[in-house]
């Protein structure tokens, strides 16, 4: 008996046709895409740290940076780099923004996920996503040209570019993304819970309050944290609506200056490598760390939900 | 296990649930065709028929939980103890208070064992004077004792109910109905997610509840219908075919379709 003839299909099995090459090419491209995300994150952090390191190692002191409100980098006689007022500015604007955004976005998410049906729900979801796509400079413009005169009129204050203005603007900006994430969290609550509670005679609101909200609380917390992260990092709208005055705010009508706005406004006017330039990057490092921690916590919380 | 049942007093003949010419559509698909059925009070009635014949749909029409879907349309009437469920637009909560439901998969709420049991009570006792903690404890204990779960869980009432075994969860799902004092219990294949031991335990419990509650029990398991019910309804393709005492149905079915089903010709 001679060896059996090669199976006629063996050659076909090994064929490298177009589909094979397309598959390999796509695999490489997708891999590069995935890796580049990591490369960019690490690269940006390395760059920011490198540029700011000179300041951190030579001029930085905890009291001078976090304890002083004097941010006067351009003073010729005695330049100082106190970031406290800037941090307070960012924190107050973000805080007020959350006061606005949390009730709005949770309310919207609850309505979309638990009460609205059919077309209403679909239309609302699209609208919320469209809101999220409004460029921040447009929001800033609204703060500058609509809210500013309005605040002056209504509250009878000399200037309307303040914590209130930028907080409201930032709150409206952060609300859509928070709504989307909060709605996802509510959606993730199994429908069998709702059915069980309704069969026991619970009304829609009772189901929401006693069953759905407690079950979704981690996801809702993550939504709020992401909103906070968004507030901390927002630049343009805050720059335009906050008044950009270095100030420890004591009332919502005080002008403030945010960390991000400071960097954006001053970086173009500094000499590369100067102490002022490095100090701005030090602010950048601080921002980066804070938003990173906030986003990471939100992410860990969401992951925690998936596991349980 | 089917003993002669204590004769239901003929005077109190108001049925626990009465369907009159009841039809139901999911969108354009008609799932129930003019069902006429009276569920006698105080007895266990089982609902049998091949998969997809509309047993769950019929059951879920009694407390109108079907309508959560939003594309359900009905015709005809369902009355629970004489109250037309579909007319009582505003009294739905009252209807659901009278009608407890046990689902196919145990669906305990994501709360503690104690909170699961007291959940319905809290919903319905609002405004009717404060219930003290001690009252609640008594209610929880009573309900858990009645479903034979008290000894298993009395030391962990504040633990999450989801940590219980499926059998215990299903018993808990029955227990949480009791504090509201429903008159009719709807059970949709309550044992189908359980192992044989759990099935036996829950069947026993259902049998224990007989008399105090009217029970409408969906099952695709004929042995279970035979063991656990006094009266039996056979459905086919959305129609009610036959309603007779259980022992008669399995010995001398009146309709050819019933006989075919019982002999396993529909699978
Ligand atoms: N939510 C639904 N939407 C559309 N059709 C459904 C829905 N639920 C059930 N049906 C259909 O209604 C019929 C009866 O279903 P069901 O009452 O669940 O049957 P059973 O419980 O007897 O198995 C089936 O044909 C099923 O496909
Ligand atoms: Mg079913």
């Amino acid at each position: 008996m001679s060896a059996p003839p090669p199976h006629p299909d063996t050659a076909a099995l090994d064929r490298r046709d177009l589909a094979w090459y397309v598959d390999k090419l796509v695999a490489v491209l997708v891999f590069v895409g995935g890796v580049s995300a990591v490369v960019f994150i690490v690269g940006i952090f390395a760059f920011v740290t490198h540029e700011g390191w000179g300041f951190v190692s030579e001029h930085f002191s905890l009291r001078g940076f976090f304890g002083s409100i004097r941010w006067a980098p351009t003073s010729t006689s005695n330049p100082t780099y106190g970031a406290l007022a800037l941090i307070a500015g960012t924190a107050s604007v973000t805080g007020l923004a959350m006061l606005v955004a949390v009730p709005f976005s949770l309310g919207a998410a609850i309505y979309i996920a638990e009460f609205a049906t059919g077309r209403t729900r679909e239309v609302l979801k699209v609208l919320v996503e469209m809101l999220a796509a409004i460029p921040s400079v447009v929001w800033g413009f609204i703060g500058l040209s609509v809210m500013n005169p309005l605040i002056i009129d209504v509250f009878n204050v000399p200037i309307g570019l303040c914590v209130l203005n930028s907080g409201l603007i930032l709150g409206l900006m952060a609300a859509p993304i928070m709504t989307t994430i909060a709605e996802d969290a509510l959606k993730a609550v199994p429908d069998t819970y709702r059915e069980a509670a309704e069969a026991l005679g619970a009304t829609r609101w009772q189901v929401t309050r006693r069953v759905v909200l407690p079950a979704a609380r981690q996801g809702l917390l993550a939504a709020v944290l992401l909103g906070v992260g968004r507030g901390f990092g927002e630049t343009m709208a805050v720059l335009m609506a906050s008044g950009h005055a270095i100030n420890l705010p004591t009332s919502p009508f005080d002008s403030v200056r945010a960390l991000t706005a400071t960097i954006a406004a001053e970086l173009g006017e500094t000499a590369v490598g100067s102490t002022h330039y490095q100090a701005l990057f030090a602010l950048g490092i601080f921002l980066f760390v804070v938003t990173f921690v906030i986003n990471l916590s939100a992410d860990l919380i969401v992951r925690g939900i998936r596991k349980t | 296990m089917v003993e002669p049942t204590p004769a239901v007093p003929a005077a109190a003949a108001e049925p626990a649930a009465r369907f009159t010419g009841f039809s139901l559509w999911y969108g354009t698909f008609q799932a129930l065709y003019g069902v006429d059925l009276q569920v006698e009070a105080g007895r266990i009635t089982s609902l049998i028929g091949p998969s997809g014949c509309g047993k769950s749909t019929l059951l879920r029409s009694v407390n109108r939980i079907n309508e959560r879907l939003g594309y359900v349309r009905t015709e005809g009437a369902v009355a629970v103890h004489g109250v037309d469920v579909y007319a009582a637009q505003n009294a739905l909560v009252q209807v659901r208070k009278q009608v407890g439901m046990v689902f196919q998969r145990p669906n305990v709420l994501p709360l503690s064992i104690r909170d699961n049991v007291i959940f319905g009570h809290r919903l319905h006792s609002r405004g009717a004077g404060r219930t003290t903690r001690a009252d609640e404890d008594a209610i929880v204990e009573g309900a858990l004792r009645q479903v034979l779960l008290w000894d298993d869980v009395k030391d962990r009432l504040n633990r999450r109910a989801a940590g219980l075994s499926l059998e215990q969860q299903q018993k808990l799902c029955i227990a949480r109905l009791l504090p509201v004092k429903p008159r009719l219990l709807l059970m949709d294949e309550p044992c189908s997610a359980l192992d044989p031991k759990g099935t036996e335990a829950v069947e026993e419990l259902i049998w224990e509840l007989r008399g105090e509650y009217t029970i409408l029990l969906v099952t695709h398991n004929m042995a279970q219908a035979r063991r656990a019910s006094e009266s039996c309804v056979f459905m086919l393709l959305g129609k009610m075919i036959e309603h007779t005492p259980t022992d008669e149905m399995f010995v001398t079915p009146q309709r050819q379709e019933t006989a075919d089903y019982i002999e396993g010709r529909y699978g």
Side-chain angles (χ1 to χ4, degrees):
Chain A
M1 274 197 112
S2 59
H7 192 280
D9 278 352
T10 313
L13 284 179
D14 199 30
R15 210 172 61 214
R16 304 191 165 187
D17 57 7
L18 186 64
W20 188 89
Y21 284 105
V22 170
D23 182 55
K24 287 286 169 245
L25 181 69
V26 170
V28 170
L29 286 178
V30 173
F31 176 75
V32 169
V35 167
S36 67
V38 178
V39 170
F40 282 130
I41 296 262
V42 173
I44 290 172
F45 189 68
F47 170 71
V48 172
T49 311
H50 176 258
E51 297 300 298
W53 194 249
F55 176 83
V56 174
S57 59
E58 285 166 39
H59 304 272
F60 181 82
S61 73
L62 273 182
R63 274 199 59 201
F65 191 73
F66 291 112
S68 158
I69 65 163
R70 270 180 54 79
W71 177 262
T74 49
S75 158
T76 40
S77 54
N78 177 26
T80 52
Y81 304 93
L84 181 60
L86 310 181
I87 294 171
T90 289
S92 60
V93 171
T94 305
L96 185 70
M98 288 306 112
L99 284 185
V100 176
V102 169
F104 260 106
S105 56
L106 292 191
I110 290 172
Y111 181 71
I112 293 175
E114 303 297 321
F115 287 84
T117 52
R119 279 187 66 83
T120 322
R121 165 183 289 176
E122 296 312 314
V123 169
L124 274 176
K125 283 177 74 162
V126 172
L127 280 180
V128 167
E129 267 151 37
M130 277 168 62
L131 267 183
I134 295 178
S136 60
V137 67
V138 173
W139 285 109
F141 185 74
I142 294 173
L144 207 56
S145 59
V146 179
M147 303 278 291
N148 182 26
L150 199 67
I151 290 175
I152 293 176
D153 262 12
V154 173
F155 296 101
N156 197 19
V157 287
I159 185 160
L161 298 174
C162 55
V163 175
L164 180 65
N165 190 338
S166 46
L168 285 176
I169 290 289
L170 195 57
L172 293 177
M173 280 180 70
I177 180 92
M178 289 167 67
T179 304
T180 304
I181 293 167
E183 193 221 325
D184 285 347
L186 296 176
K187 270 281 122 60
V189 174
D191 205 43
T192 56
Y193 295 165
R194 296 184 186 87
E195 197 172 60
E198 266 184 51
L200 280 164
T203 61
R204 233 12 123 71
W205 172 239
Q206 286 171 327
V207 174
T208 305
R209 193 173 77 75
R210 296 174 188 234
V211 179
V212 178
L213 290 182
R217 63 178 183 280
Q218 286 171 305
L220 299 177
L221 181 63
V224 171
L225 278 181
L226 284 174
V228 172
R230 177 92 168 79
F232 252 78
E234 174 51 33
T235 308
M236 187 49 78
V238 177
L239 175 63
M240 292 166 77
S242 66
H244 205 58
I246 295 173
N247 207 350
L248 264 189
T250 53
S251 99
F253 301 108
D254 286 346
S255 292
V256 289
R257 187 192 278 198
L259 286 164
T260 48
T262 306
I263 300 175
E266 295 178 8
L267 194 58
E269 293 157 15
T270 58
V272 174
S274 66
T275 310
H276 184 186
Y277 174 91
Q278 290 175 341
L280 290 176
F281 272 91
L283 294 183
I285 297 173
F286 176 68
L287 264 175
F288 197 100
V289 170
V290 170
T291 42
F292 184 77
V293 167
I294 292 173
N295 285 338
L296 189 68
S297 335
D299 197 52
L300 290 178
I301 290 171
V302 171
R303 262 163 225 280
I305 302 172
R306 294 232 183 85
K307 251 185 259 149
T308 50
Chain B
M1 199 165 169
V2 179
E3 310 142 47
T5 49
V8 184
E14 178 190 81
R18 182 206 300 268
F19 295 82
T20 355
F22 188 77
S23 301
L24 183 144
W25 290 259
Y26 291 111
T28 54
F29 173 76
Q30 184 165 8
L32 294 177
Y33 292 82
V35 172
D36 288 301
L37 174 65
Q38 302 196 7
V39 180
E40 291 141 284
R43 313 182 88 191
I44 303 181
T45 302
S46 62
L47 204 50
I48 60 170
S51 179
C53 71
K55 305 181 295 294
S56 300
T57 303
L58 189 71
L59 201 69
R60 295 162 65 86
S61 303
V62 179
N63 63 354
R64 295 178 61 179
I65 199 79
N66 259 337
E67 287 167 41
R68 305 186 67 243
L69 295 169
Y71 51 87
V72 170
R73 189 167 65 80
T74 63
E75 253 173 34
V78 181
V80 172
H81 285 285
V83 178
D84 185 348
V85 173
Y86 283 80
Q89 198 53 256
N90 300 317
L92 191 55
V93 166
Q94 287 312 312
V95 169
R96 287 180 177 162
K97 190 177 161 187
Q98 302 236 315
V99 181
M101 181 167 241
V102 181
F103 295 82
Q104 205 160 341
R105 284 202 65 81
N107 55 357
V108 296
L109 296 168
L111 307 167
S112 70
I113 294 171
R114 185 178 190 281
D115 287 343
N116 262 277
V117 179
I118 204 71
F119 188 88
H121 178 79
R122 284 189 183 148
L123 292 179
H124 295 293
S125 69
R126 308 185 70 222
R130 289 278 118 218
T131 313
T132 64
R133 178 98 190 165
D135 291 342
E136 283 193 357
D137 286 342
I139 291 169
V140 169
E141 178 170 349
L144 289 172
R145 279 193 190 283
Q146 203 167 359
V147 300
L148 318 172
L149 199 56
W150 175 251
D151 291 325
D152 290 356
V153 303
K154 62 171 184 275
D155 301 323
R156 42 175 171 158
L157 291 176
N158 292 318
R159 300 256 197 89
R160 298 189 71 75
L164 296 172
S165 74
L166 282 179
E167 172 195 332
Q168 292 170 325
Q169 288 190 26
Q170 195 61 301
K171 286 179 169 177
L172 183 62
C173 288
I174 297 174
R176 73 179 173 201
L177 305 176
L178 307 183
V180 185
K181 305 199 172 55
R183 297 164 84 179
L184 172 60
L185 300 183
L186 309 169
M187 303 194 177
D188 193 349
E189 308 198 21
C191 303
S192 65
L194 309 183
D195 59 12
K197 191 181 127 294
T199 301
E200 195 180 324
V202 171
E203 272 181 24
E204 203 164 299
L205 167 61
I206 294 172
W207 195 251
E208 291 285 321
L209 296 172
R210 168 181 113 268
E212 196 173 340
Y213 303 94
T214 309
I215 296 175
L216 187 54
L217 172 74
V218 169
T219 173
H220 64 240
N221 177 339
M222 276 183 280
Q224 182 175 67
R226 227 175 152 163
R227 278 196 304 269
S229 73
E230 297 152 289
S231 179
C232 198
V233 176
F234 173 65
M235 290 182 68
L236 188 62
L237 295 170
K239 299 196 175 77
M240 207 280 284
I241 304 292
E242 176 169 348
H243 180 196
T244 40
T246 305
D247 34 5
E248 280 175 37
M249 179 173 289
F250 286 94
V251 181
T252 52
Q254 291 168 0
R255 298 277 300 260
Q256 186 56 41
E257 299 95 319
T258 317
D260 288 348
Y261 179 68
I262 290 170
E263 284 160 31
R265 260 174 255 165
Y266 294 111

